[in-house]
Amino acid sequence: MTLTNISGYQFEQGYPLATTTFKNVAAVYIIYTNQLWLDVGETDQLGTRISEHERRACWQRNAGSVPIYVAVHQESNQQTRLAIESDLRSQLNPTCGNR
């Protein structure tokens, strides 16, 4: 795991989507490849949300054959998570999941 700053927020990054099982923690998450921001979201159940995500097919289609990674910013306050998610969506303009 590597800590990195993404658009002003501290994230744990580099978790491979295909091989990582996430705990059910409250967090903002970013789905990405080395070339593309795929999605940004927030949840109070990260493990369940990632494993059952309705946009997973979009992630895989847009990633093609390159690995998909997940960056995680743990945050217990839902209003804060929603604000971070909105800010990151406008800055990163992810390919999947327009809200």
Side-chain angles (χ1 to χ4, degrees), residues 1-2 4 11-17 20 32 68-72:
M1 181 224 18
T2 303
T4 192
F11 276 82
E12 300 172 9
Q13 75 165 30
Y15 294 107
L17 178 66
T20 304
Y32 67 98
I68 299 172
Y69 299 98
V70 181
V72 177

Side-chain angles (χ1 to χ4, degrees), residues 25-30 39-46 49 53 55 73 75-86 89 99:
V25 296
V28 177
Y29 58 88
I30 300 173
D39 208 347
V40 176
E42 69 81 25
T43 183
D44 62 348
Q45 299 283 313
L46 182 66
R49 182 71 176 132
H53 209 289
R55 290 191 296 269
H73 173 83
E75 172 57 58
S76 60
N77 183 284
Q78 184 183 25
Q79 288 182 314
T80 302
R81 288 195 314 268
L82 288 167
I84 293 170
E85 175 193 31
S86 178
R89 281 188 171 281
R99 280 192 184 175

Side-chain angles (χ1 to χ4, degrees), residues 17 22 29 31 46-53 56 59 70:
L17 178 66
F22 295 94
Y29 58 88
I31 310 298
L46 182 66
T48 301
R49 182 71 176 132
I50 296 295
S51 68
E52 299 176 1
H53 209 289
R56 187 178 279 262
W59 305 341
V70 181

